[in-house]
Amino acid sequence: MNIKGEVADIIYKILILGESNVGKTSILLRYINDTFDESAISTCGVDVKCKYVSFDNKKIKMNIWDTAGQERFRGLAKNYFRGAHGFIFVYDITNKESFDKLKGWMKDAKEKIQDDESFKMIIVGNKKDCENKRKIEFQRLKEFGEENKVMYIEVSAKTGEGVDQLFNDFVHELLKYRKIGTYKVDQVEERTYSSLEKSLISENKHENCNC
Ligand code: GTP
């Protein structure tokens, strides 16, 4: 359920990472606006959108950071990893290289996060609508997810299939961790953003939300 309002019980910082052209921005726009653009423009640097949801009687604000997949922006994206509660790693099921490079993205995230910070990850195979061009079978994703003890799902930003489930399941997982004590509400709220990050969040206010 979506809610509007300034007050949130919990704030989560979630980053979307992966190679260029896999559909990171498209997944986010499908989730936030329920729209899809065939001619989406490549992200430069980073873009932040937010969404309020309600789970278990808690108002949750998700600040979702859409990073650029192009190699030249990769170093920049790493600057925003700090304080993240969750990472969404996206590949394109029709592009083997984008799947093979997941390990590198996951390594980058693990290296940047400090030891005392807990975070969750999910691997997302996008473009599920392109079944006839599929290069990575679902079984391969399943094995990779289980091997790395990471959640996984296939979606299509184009048709919308799986996109809500992706975010709902992920937030449930983040909440589960908070409940068993890994995250206390205060700690979640206190995860600080740098002033640059704060200005980015306010610059990218989305019309459907009250960031
Ligand atoms: P960067 O900003 O360069 O990192 O790319 P990105 O990962 O954000 O990809 P983006 O969302 O810009 O999508 C890249 C291209 O793939 C666009 O032409 C989209 O229209 C297309 N695309 C994204 N998701 C899907 C999908 O689920 N199915 C199909 N068929 N095309 C998609």
Side-chain angles (χ1 to χ4, degrees):
M1 175 190 164
N2 298 332
I3 52 171
K4 283 195 167 199
E6 298 288 343
V7 182
D9 297 307
I10 302 169
I11 301 172
Y12 285 133
K13 176 179 179 179
I14 297 169
L15 275 97
I16 310 185
L17 302 175
E19 292 299 296
S20 183
N21 226 34
V22 295
K24 298 179 296 296
T25 303
S26 301
I27 291 171
L28 186 54
L29 292 179
R30 171 62 74 192
Y31 182 56
I32 303 266
N33 290 347
D34 200 17
T35 56
F36 177 75
D37 182 359
E38 290 279 357
S39 52
I41 297 165
S42 211
T43 306
C44 296
V46 67
D47 189 17
V48 190
K49 301 237 181 293
C50 80
K51 179 145 173 160
Y52 287 86
V53 291
S54 178
F55 278 114
D56 296 347
N57 291 324
K58 295 259 181 261
K59 288 180 191 173
I60 299 162
K61 180 182 177 184
M62 285 189 277
N63 287 325
I64 308 173
W65 296 65
D66 176 22
T67 64
Q70 288 177 43
E71 188 62 41
R72 65 195 167 113
F73 293 120
R74 193 156 171 164
L76 180 75
K78 288 188 202 171
N79 294 328
Y80 303 108
F81 288 8
R82 198 174 171 278
H85 304 101
F87 289 91
I88 297 174
F89 298 100
V90 183
Y91 71 96
D92 170 355
I93 67 156
T94 71
N95 177 340
K96 183 176 175 299
E97 194 185 347
S98 70
F99 180 79
D100 293 341
K101 292 207 166 163
L102 284 175
K103 275 195 176 149
W105 287 103
M106 288 163 72
K107 187 165 161 276
D108 281 357
K110 283 179 189 159
E111 279 173 4
K112 267 281 177 181
I113 292 285
Q114 295 174 358
D115 290 344
D116 60 343
E117 292 179 315
S118 358
F119 62 95
K120 296 298 289 179
M121 303 192 273
I122 186 165
I123 300 166
V124 180
N126 187 37
K127 307 197 186 179
K128 197 180 175 189
D129 55 288
C130 300
E131 195 54 52
N132 55 345
K133 294 191 203 147
R134 182 189 278 275
K135 297 281 186 312
I136 302 294
E137 294 304 322
F138 179 73
Q139 183 62 22
R140 189 124 174 242
L141 166 63
K142 185 170 181 280
E143 283 164 11
F144 185 73
E146 286 171 359
E147 214 173 276
N148 290 280
K149 298 188 175 51
V150 179
M151 296 167 72
Y152 53 88
I153 188 169
E154 282 188 349
V155 305
S156 166
K158 185 171 182 172
T159 65
E161 184 183 353
V163 173
D164 280 349
Q165 191 191 339
L166 149 65
F167 285 96
N168 289 345
D169 289 357
F170 199 46
V171 168
H172 269 293
E173 195 65 18
L174 291 170
L175 278 168
K176 219 188 308 174
Y177 263 67
R178 186 181 62 78
K179 272 188 200 148
I180 63 170
T182 308
Y183 297 150
K184 293 187 186 118
V185 175
D186 293 353
Q187 286 173 338
V188 173
E189 296 284 2
E190 275 170 16
R191 286 201 175 196
T192 49
Y193 297 111
S194 69
S195 51
L196 172 63
E197 289 179 345
K198 276 181 186 154
S199 66
L200 267 167
I201 290 176
S202 57
E203 274 169 20
N204 284 284
K205 270 189 180 184
H206 192 271
E207 59 182 6
N208 289 334
C209 92
N210 302 312
C211 287

